[in-house]
Amino acid sequence: MKVKVISRSTDEFTRERSQDLQRVFRNFDPKLRPQEKAVEYVRALNAAKLEKIFARPFIGAMDGHIDAISCMAKNPNFLKGIFSGSMDGDIRLWDIASRKTVCQFPGHQGAVRGLTASTDGSTLISCGTDCTVRIWSVPVAATLESDHASNKPIEANAVYVGKNAYWAVDHQWGGDLFATTGARVEIWNHNRSQPVNTFEWGTDTVISVRFNPGEPNLLATSASDRSIALYDLRMSTPARKLIMQTRTNSIAWNPMEPLNFTAANEDCSCYSYDARKLDEAKCVHKDHVSAVMDIDYSPTGREFVTGSYDRTVRIFPYNGGHSREIYHTKRMQRVFCVKFSSDASYIISGSDDTNLRLWKAKASEQMGVLLPREQKKHEYQEAVKNRYKHLPEVKRIVRHRHLPRPIYKAKELRRTVIDAEKKKEERRKAHSTPGSIVTESVRKRRIIREVE
Amino acid sequence: MGLEEEAGGSAKILPPTEQELSAELDTKLQKYLRGEGADLEALKDKKLKGQLFVREKLYGNSAKAAAKFEKGGYLEAEGVEKTWRIKQDQLTREVDILSSRNQYDIVLKDLGPYTLDFTPSGRYMATAGRKGHVAIVDMKSMELIREMQVKETVYPYIYNRDGIELHCLKEHGAVSRLQFLKNHFLLASINKFGRTETMQINPYNGVVAVGHSAGTVSMWKPTSAAPLVKMLCHHGPISALAFHPNGHLMASCGREKKIKIWDLRKFEVVQTIPGHHAKTLDFSQKGLLAAGTGSYAQVLGDFSGTQNYSRYMGHSIAKGYQIGKVSFRPYEDVLVMGHSMGWSSILIPGSGEPNFDTWVANPFETSEQRREKEIHSLLDKLPPETIMLDPSKIGTLRPYKKREKPTKEEIEAEKEAAVESVKDIALKKKTKGRNKTSKRVMKRKVLIDKAKKPFLEKQMLEEGKVAGKKRNLGEETELPASLKRFVRKKAAV
């Protein structure tokens, strides 16, 4: 007879010295784990609740301006700094870590409408309603030693005066050209005092401009005549124009998929387009209850942040129709500009109440260096919560956000209006010959036409 | 034609050994896949389809990784003779010293029939004699950790490892059996009003099965007053119950000397084994069934995988000792029997799970690991609502049921219920000659008519619709009277 019995020697299964790690043996057989789904569900519920407990997105406010903040600019070479310009002409460079002003750039007489930094981070360009474009050199020493904190005013390198007020400015990625908009789109070089090139299409003011991060010669602008126009610098004529039903306040290109851009519109939604196919929106992002003022993409290209006239900041997934997060404070008034920090962890919002506010991109994220065990635990919690987030109990906790009363009411009202319109449309369809009334898809509905 | 040949030629041809390995891996994979994959073709939502496709691929990869880990059962006990004639002394000669230490008899004559229970990792065993002798033994080192003599044996008491009495549970009265659900931290007990002592918990889903004297087994969950299932198992009273760790096999033994194996998914008998009158039954982790009758313990095994249990091994203890409880030791090839004069332990090769998982149950646990595990199991404590017959339903969505119109009987029943409730209303007693009988009767009639009104209105609406339809049909065939004479009747030649 052949016999073999389980016999485990203690040395094989325990550690030799107390400095060694404990030995771990695995058997993934489902039979050893009764009720594993119930355990996972309980863990998902607890993970959702813990996430809500640790959700503290607001980090701090940067106080200093004395008028509403109209524009912000990120420094591509320096993670800790952000430029902000206000309605009284005050431009400041902030150190985000200490939330203090590093230096100021006085000079503008009226509101500063546009701010942008060159790709190497050494030059700052600003434009305003006093018809001037000013070029500043960013003090490198000041940015490195932020505790120097001297509010030393800096002299402008150059001041270029134009004929009309300027509305926006943006710098080319990797090149040395920048574009300003106002009455028309003008392309400048740093050294020349006159624009190198001018584009004009129609007679309305162009209110925002953005260069494409992947294709440095491509830029998108939005104008007062409710249009979005694409320009190519290599051609001397504008490329393509898209006319919508309402005005676009701001445009942002997706840094990971540079052919796609998202436009923040006056009709409370954001429209994502593929630049090659402008006759239909790729995605419509609806959640705001008032005009969307500014939009910025995360460097991961997977989500973007929007600031709106309804005093809230929302974060949307790049392909999702609804926001995954909303930030609001009693003290934050109309949000005019938002920026996603270059490490995709923070959001900076500039608003009407003269403050810049720093928020976390993921509200319950633990900041700082995480141990590998902590990281694994966070990843596991996230994964198990995502597995069960469609079930009612977990969904209720994950989805829950406190909304300020006016926004809640406005949302309800919009919901009622939309439902009523839908019902009317359905009834009209039901009472007319089949096929006579065609509903247009949401993605096409707001577009009037595309012009070559 | 040439293209087809090319395509056939470029298909991968595995060498024979790799082919075998991949076939083996496939069969093992099934265990880790936990069911069929989702049908993605039926989905219309492209985004969802893409996301689910990625997830399904990940599951496949993790199942493959898990299957590679499995070391495979390396325990065999082949017999040139019949396995059930092999005695424990023969085994002692073949196995090593450490294993032969697991064969022993402990005789404690005075303190009553002994019953025993193991911790899930098999490291510690608690034994208790009927007359109040309680002991906790560390099975690895065969050390007696705590021993105490309790005076009261009526109510259930909870003690900690130092022997200090923590709680006395008097609510249920004199309890005859206790079972612990470790995932839910619940204790199930049965007292004399249950009129039975056969109670067992199904470890797969946590339901409590109770065997009655009429031969029925009823299964209960804590959140409902009525039993989940009532099965008629035997002709006589049920003497023992046991559940297979995979959750869908149950063994029951009746007084009429038959052991029946049930499939709990279909509630059907899979096998009847005659000739055993077992007072106690237990399944091992590998699916061997031990039955204790009098002073003889029989171990049955299912070797073909088709739920056909046959004799595997047997052991008889000293004559006159009555086996009260058989229990397999987890993660070891050992069977421990508690009898009227103490307990005995024997070797049953192939009964325990050879590979344990450190995060599930670790026989070599240190005190730090035990503390951590306790906290984690308290964090993962399941609510009692998760005890149900089919635990895989947790996390799934209920299928969408289209609401049907209530049938005529249902409407009638609702109407009658409304009328009944109205009849119970007490009318105010009026004085000064206003309390006439006729007026009271009128009032009651008015109330009943009011209650019936909504149902009658609905009925009228329905009838109106039906009549309208009929009228539409009728109008086509109804001619004015003056033209009726010209209507050709079909029967004309």
Side-chain angles (χ1 to χ4, degrees), chain B residues 153-183:
Chain B
T153 54
V154 176
Y155 297 124
Y157 291 85
I158 299 181
Y159 299 88
N160 72 355
R161 54 179 16 220
D162 298 328
I164 302 172
E165 182 191 311
L166 295 175
H167 306 282
C168 171
L169 311 169
K170 284 200 183 148
E171 265 183 343
H172 209 197
V175 159
S176 53
R177 282 222 50 184
L178 290 172
Q179 290 265 284
F180 186 65
L181 283 139
K182 64 175 167 61
N183 289 330

Side-chain angles (χ1 to χ4, degrees), chain B residues 206-436:
Chain B
V207 305
V208 177
V210 178
H212 300 277
S213 51
T216 54
V217 170
S218 55
M219 299 201 191
W220 303 79
K221 71 175 182 183
T223 47
S224 68
L228 286 167
V229 182
K230 267 201 227 174
M231 316 167 35
L232 178 63
C233 290
H234 290 273
H235 294 296
I238 311 262
S239 51
L241 281 176
F243 285 96
H244 195 285
N246 68 9
H248 49 81
L249 279 185
M250 178 178 84
S252 65
C253 184
R255 281 280 167 84
E256 84 274 17
K257 298 198 182 169
K258 282 208 177 94
I259 295 180
K260 287 193 185 175
I261 314 275
W262 298 85
D263 183 331
L264 290 176
R265 292 172 295 195
K266 300 183 235 158
F267 296 105
E268 267 178 11
V269 192
V270 172
Q271 196 190 356
T272 315
I273 306 165
H276 293 92
H277 174 203
K279 190 159 169 243
T280 163
L281 287 172
D282 192 33
F283 270 103
S284 85
Q285 282 177 323
K286 281 288 191 188
L288 298 179
L289 176 62
T293 325
S295 60
Y296 184 69
Q298 171 82 273
V299 177
L300 304 154
D302 163 31
F303 297 104
S304 54
T306 57
Q307 270 113 44
N308 189 5
Y309 278 81
S310 56
R311 280 183 294 178
Y312 177 50
M313 286 177 75
H315 179 75
S316 61
I317 55 179
K319 199 166 167 201
Y321 293 7
Q322 300 290 318
I323 294 182
K325 173 124 190 240
V326 280
S327 182
F328 279 99
R329 214 173 119 192
Y331 302 106
E332 293 281 342
D333 283 340
V334 170
L335 175 70
V336 183
M337 306 167 281
H339 49 75
S340 48
M341 297 289 188
W343 66 88
S344 317
S345 158
I346 57 172
L347 285 178
I348 310 279
S351 60
E353 171 65 54
N355 313 309
F356 61 86
D357 189 317
T358 314
W359 305 122
V360 171
N362 186 359
F364 298 92
E365 222 168 30
T366 61
S367 58
E368 248 185 51
Q369 284 175 332
R370 195 193 57 78
R371 263 183 290 139
E372 285 289 318
K373 193 155 186 324
E374 194 178 321
I375 294 171
H376 281 297
S377 59
L378 279 170
L379 284 173
D380 290 336
K381 182 168 88 132
L382 298 175
E385 293 85 45
T386 54
I387 298 176
M388 54 181 77
L389 273 182
D390 182 16
S392 59
K393 270 202 271 179
I394 295 174
T396 55
L397 293 172
R398 233 183 288 165
Y400 172 69
K401 266 199 194 149
K402 211 173 162 195
R403 247 195 98 190
E404 292 156 359
K405 273 199 190 148
T407 59
K408 259 194 187 162
E409 289 120 9
E410 286 177 18
I411 299 174
E412 283 292 317
E414 275 176 46
K415 197 160 99 177
E416 274 172 33
V419 168
E420 282 296 315
S421 63
V422 160
K423 281 189 184 165
D424 288 334
I425 295 174
L427 293 171
K428 195 176 176 188
K429 275 216 180 113
K430 292 202 174 171
T431 54
K432 294 193 181 175
R434 294 193 195 102
N435 194 13
K436 283 200 195 150

Side-chain angles (χ1 to χ4, degrees), chain A residues 364-399:
Chain A
S364 50
E365 194 182 356
Q366 187 180 344
M367 291 298 172
V369 180
L370 291 175
L371 299 169
R373 267 184 73 179
E374 285 180 325
Q375 221 167 5
K376 279 213 183 92
K377 181 77 184 174
H378 286 313
E379 281 167 18
Y380 176 77
Q381 302 269 51
E382 192 65 33
V384 81
K385 183 174 58 93
N386 282 338
R387 185 180 265 199
Y388 291 95
K389 69 176 172 203
H390 57 284
L391 291 176
E393 266 187 318
V394 184
K395 185 168 156 188
R396 193 177 142 255
I397 296 171
V398 169
R399 241 172 47 109

Side-chain angles (χ1 to χ4, degrees), chain A residues 239-274:
Chain A
R240 211 167 269 242
K241 196 178 201 183
L242 168 71
I243 302 180
M244 296 184 67
Q245 284 188 359
T246 43
R247 191 184 74 184
T248 302
N249 285 324
S250 179
I251 299 175
W253 292 91
N254 186 334
M256 281 296 152
E257 295 169 9
L259 281 174
N260 300 336
F261 66 89
T262 309
N265 212 314
E266 273 288 310
D267 68 351
C268 323
S269 348
C270 302
Y271 297 88
S272 289
Y273 290 96
D274 184 339

